[in-house]
Amino acid sequence: MAYSRAFSEESLREILLSLPVKSLCRFKCVCKNWGNLINNPSFTIDHCKKKKPPQHLIYDYGATDDAPTVTLVSDKGIDEQKNFQRFGDNITNLLGSIDGVFFIERQIDNAILCTLWNPANREVRHLPAATIDFIPFNKHYRHLVFGLEPMTKDYKVLYYDPLKEYAAVYSCSRDSWKIFKHNLDVDVDENNIFERNRIKTTDYLNGYYYWLVRENNKCRIVSFDFGNEVFVDMEGPPAGHEDYHWLANLMLLGDSLGILNFVDGFVHDVWVMIQPGVWNKLVTIHLTTRIKSYYDNSIILVTRSSRLVSYNVRTNKTRLFEFRHHGLHYRPEIGGCEVYYYKESLVTIKRQGNSELHLNHCMTRATY
């Protein structure tokens, strides 16, 4: 009997792991034993690891009040259109997702509000105000990024301004900001470019957030280690006959870091980092339409007919999505749409006791 019961619980767990979050949230209320199983942290981790068809979350920054802000698309077409929590028209930065969680930055009057958001379970966590002032988002050299410490599953947010000697890192487990003197030396001028990725996808991989720094026809990689909370510097690909163009961008190639470098016309080179500071040129490709996003060895492009197509740089295969929207041609600042690789999860970002801070305690002062 004990063996039969253990077997049935294991079978039930496997069935539940294959279900979407929406169904799991319903089942938690149906049966107490099912709820205990689904609420177990190990179940949440295994559900994240479960291989599922890739989805893309499309956020419409210009959506009217009666239109859905979020559309989920996959190989099968348009999976769902939703009116999630409407964050207003003051979103300046949306990054993600990491295990189903996004980071949102909003500027409200002369203050900055930082928020973590899980669309699947509709949880929102506003971060407390930092004890230092933040430079507004329109200053392209300052950075607010987020990542995950893999060992502890602790979400963290980093604020960094290369013009200042101090940076700040927020940890969900501490629920506070830590101000620290950083060890990074980056000069910001017309010859040294240290800007945010113009493609608003997360340059996060295995506990590190990455930036591409271009300096006088050379490039280097700067990363932030979320575990040790320190910056790390390494060499980029060697400079060959081509320059590193200002349109060059980081991309993720599976579990490796990559660079897509504009060469000439429609020609781009794809570089892959095989170990820290060691790079190989993977392939030269021709892209004739606008790049919208990157994910898992693939580039998301926008066609002239306002549709999305993915191109896998390793397999040379393309895939056309059913979704069509004229906003795909425009940037968020003017009401366009952004495309994010998304894998829904049960990850909870609520504070212990489900307590939430008053918004007055979450506004970090913005200074110009």
Side-chain angles (χ1 to χ4, degrees):
M1 179 65 72
Y3 175 79
S4 175
R5 181 180 177 185
F7 178 79
S8 62
E9 287 181 352
E10 184 179 337
S11 300
L12 172 63
R13 192 176 192 275
E14 284 301 311
I15 292 172
L16 292 174
L17 284 172
S18 66
L19 297 178
V21 170
K22 187 176 182 179
S23 299
L24 293 173
C25 289
R26 284 202 211 102
F27 289 150
K28 286 198 296 184
C29 304
V30 171
C31 174
K32 183 178 180 181
N33 289 337
W34 290 8
N36 291 337
L37 176 61
I38 294 169
N39 288 329
N40 190 301
S42 67
F43 184 90
T44 299
I45 293 172
D46 290 343
H47 188 263
C48 283
K49 292 179 179 177
K50 195 77 172 179
K51 190 172 179 61
K52 302 179 182 72
Q55 279 187 314
H56 298 275
L57 184 147
I58 300 169
Y59 195 94
D60 184 359
Y61 288 80
T64 56
D65 290 341
D66 58 346
T69 53
V70 168
T71 301
L72 300 179
V73 300
S74 68
D75 291 350
K76 300 175 183 178
I78 299 175
D79 294 346
E80 200 168 1
Q81 289 188 310
K82 299 181 180 182
N83 271 312
F84 286 104
Q85 301 97 324
R86 300 189 75 93
F87 294 104
D89 58 359
N90 49 17
I91 294 179
T92 55
N93 196 13
L94 176 61
L95 294 175
S97 65
I98 300 174
D99 285 354
V101 176
F102 289 86
F103 169 74
I104 299 173
E105 176 189 351
R106 288 183 283 167
Q107 182 159 348
I108 302 173
D109 297 326
N110 291 320
I112 292 172
L113 176 64
C114 297
T115 303
L116 297 181
W117 172 46
N118 185 336
N121 59 20
R122 302 202 172 205
E123 289 185 6
V124 171
R125 176 172 178 153
H126 298 305
L127 277 54
T131 55
I132 62 173
D133 294 352
F134 285 177
I135 302 295
F137 180 81
N138 58 8
K139 300 297 182 182
H140 296 290
Y141 51 80
R142 78 84 156 130
H143 305 268
L144 253 174
V145 301
F146 93 123
L148 182 68
E149 204 288 295
M151 296 298 293
T152 61
K153 301 298 180 183
D154 185 12
Y155 282 99
K156 297 185 179 182
V157 175
L158 170 73
Y159 173 81
Y160 168 67
D161 177 358
L163 300 181
K164 307 291 184 181
E165 60 178 336
Y166 289 93
V169 61
Y170 169 84
S171 161
C172 278
S173 63
R174 294 192 300 258
D175 198 19
S176 63
W177 292 87
K178 183 180 81 172
I179 312 302
F180 65 99
K181 189 172 182 178
H182 63 78
N183 59 340
L184 189 60
D185 181 21
V186 176
D187 293 327
V188 180
D189 58 31
E190 65 275 9
N191 295 318
N192 298 341
I193 303 174
F194 182 42
E195 293 187 355
R196 292 183 295 266
N197 193 335
R198 65 188 179 88
I199 307 295
K200 284 192 176 181
T201 52
T202 296
D203 293 324
Y204 164 87
L205 181 65
N206 299 332
Y208 290 80
Y209 195 96
Y210 292 92
W211 293 268
L212 176 65
V213 182
R214 294 176 292 277
E215 300 174 316
N216 299 314
N217 192 31
K218 295 181 181 179
C219 75
R220 62 192 247 238
I221 304 297
V222 169
S223 65
F224 184 76
D225 178 350
F226 283 101
N228 296 311
E229 298 182 352
V230 295
F231 287 96
V232 181
D233 215 344
M234 70 181 76
E235 290 295 320
H241 65 278
E242 74 277 10
D243 294 344
Y244 285 99
H245 199 270
W246 67 273
L247 288 176
N249 264 302
L250 290 178
M251 63 183 297
L252 301 182
L253 297 168
D255 286 329
S256 301
L257 191 65
I259 292 176
L260 180 71
N261 183 44
F262 173 83
V263 178
D264 183 48
F266 301 127
V267 181
H268 297 73
D269 285 338
V270 179
W271 291 80
V272 60
M273 187 172 72
I274 56 177
Q275 64 184 60
V278 180
W279 297 79
N280 279 344
K281 186 185 289 188
L282 180 66
V283 67
T284 297
I285 58 177
H286 292 71
L287 301 176
T288 59
T289 56
R290 181 181 176 182
I291 299 171
K292 198 66 181 178
S293 182
Y294 305 105
Y295 82 101
D296 193 23
N297 297 308
S298 296
I299 303 170
I300 300 294
L301 306 159
V302 183
T303 68
R304 292 183 178 86
S305 59
S306 302
R307 294 181 67 178
L308 293 174
V309 60
S310 72
Y311 171 70
N312 189 304
V313 299
R314 292 190 184 272
T315 64
N316 203 33
K317 292 182 179 179
T318 59
R319 181 163 47 87
L320 187 66
F321 292 92
E322 291 298 324
F323 182 78
R324 187 194 303 266
H325 195 295
H326 70 279
L328 292 170
H329 291 288
Y330 303 103
R331 298 183 63 79
E333 298 89 323
I334 55 174
C337 297
E338 285 291 350
V339 182
Y340 305 88
Y341 181 55
Y342 177 62
K343 188 175 183 180
E344 66 169 16
S345 79
L346 288 161
V347 170
T348 182
I349 51 177
K350 288 182 178 180
R351 290 179 169 85
Q352 290 186 352
N354 294 334
S355 61
E356 191 54 67
L357 299 178
H358 192 280
L359 278 182
N360 289 342
H361 301 295
C362 300
M363 299 294 187
T364 299
R365 190 171 66 175
T367 56
Y368 290 84

